[in-house]
Amino acid sequence: MILSEGIGTYSVGTLGLNSFYNLTLDNEGTMKGKLSVHGKYYATFDAGSGYLTTTPWMFCLNDSNNPEFGRTIGMVSTDKNDVGVNVANELSFITLGPLTDVSVYQLFPSPAIGQRTLITNGTGNIIATKLGTPHEMGVQVDTGD
């Protein structure tokens, strides 16, 4: 452990197929070592819920009295040299819950008005990607008429 009792802001966002992770500490806390700019670090913290949360590793961007850390993860990276998350191998889905009586409709392309029925009385699941915030969510339909 290099730093403890720091106070700051942790933020996560997405833009297109990229996820951004940022941590800015408002105070240095208790230093138990020296930070290294471009070094890789992760943080464990309690955001007020009583449960510990751990960030993915991030680069140290600023080693001053207000340290900053950040990382961008491309959701379609296939770089074999990336020592972090290889997102290309993490594209499977998490099942969030079962669905019944699913209907799927397709809207007619503009300028036409209306829709056609593709599936009725279907069953399946609500699914989400494992990575990214917010998660990409969708519906997986397994059976139906």
Side-chain angles (χ1 to χ4, degrees):
M1 178 184 315
I2 293 187
L3 183 135
S4 65
E5 300 174 17
I7 297 171
T9 303
Y10 175 59
S11 59
V12 179
T14 59
L15 178 62
L17 294 176
N18 294 304
S19 293
F20 303 92
Y21 300 88
N22 298 293
L23 174 63
T24 303
L25 298 177
D26 298 331
N27 73 340
E28 191 173 89
T30 304
M31 292 297 291
K32 297 182 179 184
K34 181 163 176 31
L35 292 171
S36 172
V37 173
H38 301 289
K40 296 176 184 176
Y41 299 91
Y42 68 92
T44 301
F45 60 92
D46 179 355
S49 63
Y51 297 99
L52 291 179
T53 301
T54 302
T55 68
W57 67 261
M58 294 180 283
F59 291 107
C60 177
L61 305 174
N62 175 348
D63 63 352
S64 71
N65 290 342
N66 299 92
E68 297 178 40
F69 304 85
R71 181 171 175 203
T72 301
I73 298 176
M75 298 299 282
V76 291
S77 172
T78 57
D79 183 2
K80 303 284 189 228
N81 297 318
D82 183 7
V83 294
V85 177
N86 185 348
V87 182
N89 293 333
E90 297 291 335
L91 292 179
S92 58
F93 297 102
I94 299 169
T95 300
L96 300 177
L99 294 172
T100 58
D101 197 26
V102 176
S103 296
V104 178
Y105 302 94
Q106 180 183 26
L107 296 175
F108 295 142
S110 182
I113 298 172
Q115 63 188 16
R116 67 178 165 184
T117 303
L118 299 176
I119 300 173
T120 59
N121 199 29
T123 61
N125 294 293
I126 296 175
I127 58 174
T129 56
K130 290 182 180 179
L131 296 174
T133 305
H135 294 287
E136 298 291 325
M137 296 180 65
V139 174
Q140 171 187 340
V141 180
D142 297 322
T143 64
D145 300 325

